[in-house]
Amino acid sequence: MKFKTGFTNINNSRLYYEIAGAGNTLVLIHGSSTDTRMWDDQFEVFTKHFQVLRYDMRGHGQSDIPTNEPYTHAADLNALLEYLKILNVHVAGLSSGGHTAIDFALLYPNKTSSLIPISAIPTGWRNQTECKNSMTEIDESIKTTFYTSGKRAATKLVYTHPVFNTAIVNPLSSARMKQYLDEVNWWRMFRKDPGKFEESSQINRLTEILVPTLVIVGKLDIPEMEPASEDIVKNIKGSTKVSLSQSGHMVNMENPKKFNKILLEFLKNI
């Protein structure tokens, strides 16, 4: 497969990207603590049908670590598309990448052909506070371990995190997931990320999204994921949700064949 890799300066930051294929463009946005490689089971497969773009968000993979200057991921993506002269995209994002995808659909509706939030709880969701509090306790434990016992010990604790633990034990994703987490840049342990999502309460604006929307979740994900996904479907007219069995948060890595089939069928029907 022939594909182009490159770096470009976007909003005073250097971003790494990969692009291949031809036709309508599908953007794949990774989640937190991963990078473009989490889409390895999708990238080549979908280039047979689309032009596929994947990139490392700031602070991830080969892209620059954020400075103290405020930024937004949706604006970064828009600037990257302008640099590549891409006018319209199907935008898919997993977890925090899903937040970016929703932001992009809200802020750049004329550039959005379809939206695919994957394992994503929209900002402002009714139970997000409880979800965030439970995750904060775990994150604080990881941070304490990092400072007291070092990176390796903290990383092993990350393996047990609710959003990663099923991918860690799944034979299809285990080795790769451990590699990604082992290589995580721990810069957030030393300072706050100045990045933010454009819309702090996405749940209240979902009715504005008019493009075809597919919500994908894993049945073994955190308990909040199913009801949050249902609320996305209730608020975006004509949207649909698919839950994949034997899959957790990293659904595209844990059940790639089923995931690819579902996503491809959705995109081909648009």
Side-chain angles (χ1 to χ4, degrees):
M1 176 185 64
K2 293 182 179 180
F3 66 98
K4 177 183 177 182
T5 66
F7 292 89
T8 184
N9 289 320
I10 298 295
N11 300 327
N12 298 319
S13 182
R14 191 181 69 154
L15 296 187
Y16 172 77
Y17 68 91
E18 299 178 357
I19 188 167
N24 296 326
T25 302
L26 168 64
V27 178
L28 300 173
I29 311 173
H30 64 80
S32 180
S33 300
T34 60
D35 54 44
T36 56
R37 294 173 298 172
M38 66 158 278
W39 298 110
D40 281 352
D41 293 320
Q42 287 74 46
F43 190 63
E44 184 172 357
V45 172
F46 281 87
T47 58
K48 298 174 183 177
H49 308 276
F50 303 94
Q51 175 172 260
V52 183
L53 169 66
R54 61 178 177 176
Y55 69 102
D56 290 337
M57 293 192 290
R58 293 200 204 195
H60 298 78
Q62 300 182 61
S63 292
D64 283 351
I65 294 173
T67 63
N68 292 324
E69 181 181 352
Y71 71 96
T72 64
H73 292 297
D76 279 355
L77 174 55
N78 183 57
L80 177 59
L81 295 177
E82 289 184 345
Y83 168 77
L84 295 171
K85 296 181 171 55
I86 297 173
L87 301 179
N88 301 95
V89 295
H90 301 287
V91 59
L94 184 142
S95 196
S96 60
H99 292 148
T100 299
I102 293 171
D103 263 357
F104 186 85
L106 288 170
L107 294 164
Y108 307 100
N110 294 332
K111 297 184 178 184
T112 307
S113 299
S114 70
L115 170 66
I116 306 99
I118 306 157
S119 306
I121 296 176
T123 61
W125 184 63
R126 55 191 170 87
N127 289 336
Q128 192 180 45
T129 300
E130 290 86 341
C131 177
K132 193 172 289 185
N133 286 342
S134 64
M135 293 299 170
T136 297
E137 185 176 342
I138 297 170
D139 292 342
E140 287 300 319
S141 177
I142 293 170
K143 184 178 290 188
T144 299
T145 302
F146 175 80
Y147 286 119
T148 58
S149 303
K151 176 181 176 179
R152 185 57 191 158
T155 301
K156 286 186 177 181
L157 191 57
V158 174
Y159 290 172
T160 66
H161 196 289
V163 299
F164 298 130
N165 59 4
T166 58
I168 289 294
V169 299
N170 187 318
L172 293 176
S173 55
S174 179
R176 289 165 52 205
M177 197 70 240
K178 288 179 180 178
Q179 179 186 359
Y180 302 160
L181 295 176
D182 287 348
E183 295 174 359
V184 165
N185 189 315
W186 291 75
W187 63 273
R188 287 190 184 87
M189 291 294 179
F190 303 100
R191 61 185 180 85
K192 187 177 180 181
D193 183 0
K196 65 182 181 67
F197 294 107
E198 295 271 9
E199 178 52 64
S200 60
S201 186
Q202 294 173 344
I203 192 69
N204 295 324
R205 292 190 59 194
L206 293 179
T207 55
E208 299 173 30
I209 297 176
L210 304 177
V211 298
T213 299
L214 172 66
V215 180
I216 303 177
V217 296
K219 288 189 176 181
L220 301 180
D221 206 338
I222 60 175
E224 294 85 358
M225 194 59 65
E226 280 284 350
S229 300
E230 288 290 345
D231 283 348
I232 295 177
V233 174
K234 289 177 184 177
N235 283 279
I236 300 180
K237 186 177 180 180
S239 61
T240 57
K241 178 176 78 71
V242 176
S243 299
L244 272 65
S245 61
Q246 298 180 328
S247 303
H249 196 68
M250 309 301 295
V251 61
N252 69 302
M253 294 175 61
E254 297 175 54
N255 197 344
K257 288 185 178 180
K258 185 68 174 178
F259 176 90
N260 293 352
K261 183 176 183 292
I262 290 169
L263 180 54
L264 185 58
E265 287 179 353
F266 168 73
L267 294 173
K268 280 189 170 182
N269 286 327
I270 295 174

